Amino acid sequence: MKIKPIAILALALLALFPQGLTGEIYTTGAAEIAGALGLSVDEGTWFKTLNMFGQLTALPLAAWLAYRVGYRALFRLGAIIGLISAVISSLWMSPAAQMTAWFGHGVSASFLLLFAHAIVLKNLNYREIALVESVMLLSAVLIPLSIYPYILAHLAEDNLWHWAFAIQVAPFLMMLFFARFGQWPVPEQPEKINFNWIQAFLLSGFICAVTFLLLRGERYNWFREPMIIELTVLTLLLGVTAFVALRFKWGRGEYIRTAALSEPHGKVGMLDAAVAGFVILGSTMLISSYVTQVMQYNHAQLGELEMIGFAGMIGGLVIALIATSNPKLDPEKVIPVGVSIMVIACVLLARSNAQSGVSDLWLPLLLKGLAIGILNITLTIHILRSFPKRYVVEGIAWFFLFRNLGSMLAITEFSRLMSIETASAMSILAENFNASSDIFIGQQQLVIQVLQQSGHGSAAESSVILLMGQLKTQALSIAGINNFQWLIFSIVMLVPVMAIAMKWATNHPHSQNHNATNEI
């Protein structure tokens, strides 16, 4: 049976399309979704948490299903779950139904994500993988990071966010139609393997505990909250037990195989995946917070700014494609370039002025997009393609588990740092905002004079409100710039670790057999 790259690419793009939409719906419309359902902003964060529960617990399950029932059945199951979730999110405006649907969106996304990458990596050659994966990542990662925010922000502002879920019904129906009537482009031979309930329970419990700690724990004081301390201990115990269960194969049957991590390149690949997730989401998150909280832009205006980054991403995509499509080139040599560009972008952002707007932001946004394009495309293709073909399925699952772990670490670190830095800046700045401070009295009198000249009736009261708003903006600005500096520090600390790990993997004796096993 002749494998057609175009048919595989079309099927993979169809499978990945809904995932990009769902992720950006929350990013741009979390407050609007919570408000429409009568929830507080904090309660609305459970949508993201449950979605991540679904995504991360479904990845190892998807790997098992790919072996047990085959790709067509996995594709069909992901489409069914996605279709049901999209219909619920479009029509049922109750918190319980929506939260159930968000969990379903996560499960569907992981099933279809693993399916899309597996059919590409197992059935195409070196150059075809680079080209097809680049197009897939463009549609599933780069476009959602840059173009979707602008479109979805307008839907959220008009309280039409549920239409973004309704749009997904059509591709899910197309998937089901193709799974039933289409000519399947890839061969498959399902294996009769039993499900290992012990390993599944332990690993899923560990994944959920880590996700809760990182996405919900940032709202607590980690060193004083007894609940967080107890949950941390439980998470560590679950993690150790899950590792032992997988390592020594407790129970009957299989869950997710660990052979993909036995090679040095597999171990280093997981480190690189976590670092890439940390750097990419960390920079994106900090820019979003800086633009919306400090510069007071809405999400639609933020979406317009992200268009600048998209131009850089296309440039990064081209560089990554050149590096990964030529067997004579070493893609790992491009990674330091992407990291260096990201550091430069963060330095420029840390020196930006909140009052100058786009004039200070366009260059760092362009450079950030270039770095994301290089790092995202190069690392994903290089790491996934480095797995021997017999380990590709579990390699994909492990890669995206570690990548999401790095992303969640960025969310936790910078959310917590933003809170700490803002409180510290408010405390220092507030020293000049009191009735006994000459600076405060002078600023208040100046504001009152301006308000009186404009005919404002309650100039004294309004001046206090304006000055407090100014205090908050200044504190957020200081905190945002300090966080960019923390990101630079984190990247500088991680680069030597990545370099040493890559050197170790290259010089390890087992890596000499890597290229040979990759063709098995």
Side-chain angles (χ1 to χ4, degrees), residues 90-287:
S90 304
L91 301 178
W92 277 272
M93 294 296 110
S94 69
Q98 288 290 327
M99 289 187 179
T100 303
W102 276 84
F103 179 82
H105 288 304
V107 173
S108 172
S110 287
F111 283 5
L112 296 174
L113 176 74
L114 187 135
F115 160 81
H117 288 284
I119 62 171
V120 171
L121 295 166
K122 287 183 73 71
N123 296 287
L124 301 181
N125 61 36
Y126 189 93
R127 293 180 184 274
E128 290 172 344
I129 288 174
L131 181 59
V132 172
E133 284 280 344
S134 296
V135 178
M136 288 166 55
L137 293 169
L138 171 65
S139 65
V141 179
L142 302 188
I143 290 178
L145 281 175
S146 53
I147 295 178
Y148 284 4
Y150 175 73
I151 300 171
L152 296 176
H154 282 287
L155 289 177
E157 288 178 359
D158 295 332
N159 201 27
L160 298 174
W161 52 268
H162 52 280
W163 280 101
F165 290 110
I167 293 170
Q168 298 180 34
V169 171
F172 283 128
L173 289 174
M174 292 171 64
M175 292 180 209
L176 292 175
F177 179 85
F178 187 88
R180 176 65 180 84
F181 301 105
Q183 182 179 1
W184 202 244
V186 296
E188 54 182 313
Q189 295 179 340
E191 302 177 18
K192 293 183 178 180
I193 54 176
N194 295 323
F195 188 77
N196 192 314
W197 290 96
I198 294 176
Q199 294 179 16
F201 175 79
L202 291 173
L203 185 58
S204 297
F206 173 66
I207 288 172
C208 289
V210 169
T211 303
F212 181 88
L213 274 175
L214 295 180
L215 294 185
R216 303 291 301 174
E218 45 141 330
R219 291 166 175 78
Y220 303 95
N221 189 322
W222 281 52
F223 302 102
R224 296 181 182 178
E225 288 284 343
M227 182 188 74
I228 297 298
I229 296 173
E230 293 168 2
L231 183 59
T232 302
V233 174
L234 175 62
T235 302
L236 291 174
L237 291 175
L238 275 172
V240 172
T241 309
F243 172 79
V244 173
L246 292 170
R247 178 68 178 81
F248 295 100
K249 301 182 179 181
W250 288 1
R252 296 180 179 179
E254 295 183 358
Y255 188 46
I256 180 172
R257 301 169 182 175
T258 58
L261 306 182
S262 61
E263 281 285 325
H265 279 278
K267 296 181 178 68
V268 175
M270 298 307 103
L271 171 65
D272 291 345
V275 171
F278 177 87
V279 172
I280 292 170
L281 189 63
S283 60
T284 302
M285 176 183 172
L286 291 182
I287 290 173

Side-chain angles (χ1 to χ4, degrees), residues 177-422:
F177 179 85
F178 187 88
R180 176 65 180 84
F181 301 105
Q183 182 179 1
W184 202 244
V186 296
E188 54 182 313
Q189 295 179 340
E191 302 177 18
K192 293 183 178 180
I193 54 176
N194 295 323
F195 188 77
N196 192 314
W197 290 96
I198 294 176
Q199 294 179 16
F201 175 79
L202 291 173
L203 185 58
S204 297
F206 173 66
I207 288 172
C208 289
V210 169
T211 303
F212 181 88
L213 274 175
L214 295 180
L215 294 185
R216 303 291 301 174
E218 45 141 330
R219 291 166 175 78
Y220 303 95
N221 189 322
W222 281 52
F223 302 102
R224 296 181 182 178
E225 288 284 343
M227 182 188 74
I228 297 298
I229 296 173
E230 293 168 2
L231 183 59
T232 302
V233 174
L234 175 62
T235 302
L236 291 174
L237 291 175
L238 275 172
V240 172
T241 309
F243 172 79
V244 173
L246 292 170
R247 178 68 178 81
F248 295 100
K249 301 182 179 181
W250 288 1
R252 296 180 179 179
E254 295 183 358
Y255 188 46
I256 180 172
R257 301 169 182 175
T258 58
L261 306 182
S262 61
E263 281 285 325
H265 279 278
K267 296 181 178 68
V268 175
M270 298 307 103
L271 171 65
D272 291 345
V275 171
F278 177 87
V279 172
I280 292 170
L281 189 63
S283 60
T284 302
M285 176 183 172
L286 291 182
I287 290 173
S288 176
S289 299
Y290 188 79
V291 171
T292 55
Q293 296 183 21
V294 178
M295 301 180 67
Q296 300 297 311
Y297 283 17
N298 58 33
H299 281 287
Q301 292 169 321
L302 173 62
E304 293 176 2
L305 289 177
E306 292 293 354
M307 298 289 189
I308 300 173
F310 182 64
M313 290 179 190
I314 296 299
L317 171 65
V318 173
I319 295 173
L321 184 57
I322 294 172
T324 56
S325 62
N326 189 342
K328 296 181 180 180
L329 299 178
D330 183 4
E332 291 183 356
K333 293 182 178 179
V334 180
I335 295 172
V337 177
V339 173
S340 301
I341 294 173
M342 181 64 79
V343 171
I344 294 172
C346 292
V347 170
L348 293 175
L349 287 165
R351 297 173 59 188
S352 63
N353 187 338
Q355 305 300 322
S356 60
V358 180
S359 62
D360 268 1
L361 291 179
W362 75 267
L363 181 57
L365 285 174
L366 188 67
L367 292 176
K368 187 210 76 167
L370 181 63
I372 288 178
I374 294 173
L375 293 174
N376 198 307
I377 307 297
T378 305
L379 280 173
T380 301
I381 295 174
H382 179 59
I383 293 172
L384 293 181
R385 193 173 54 191
S386 68
F387 292 116
K389 288 189 181 294
R390 65 180 181 272
Y391 301 147
V392 158
V393 173
E394 55 265 39
I396 295 169
W398 284 117
F399 173 82
F400 284 103
L401 276 172
F402 276 87
R403 182 174 182 133
N404 279 299
L405 174 63
S407 298
M408 290 190 297
L409 284 170
I411 293 173
T412 303
E413 176 181 344
F414 294 114
S415 294
R416 188 64 183 161
L417 282 174
M418 191 69 177
S419 175
I420 294 172
E421 294 284 356
T422 302

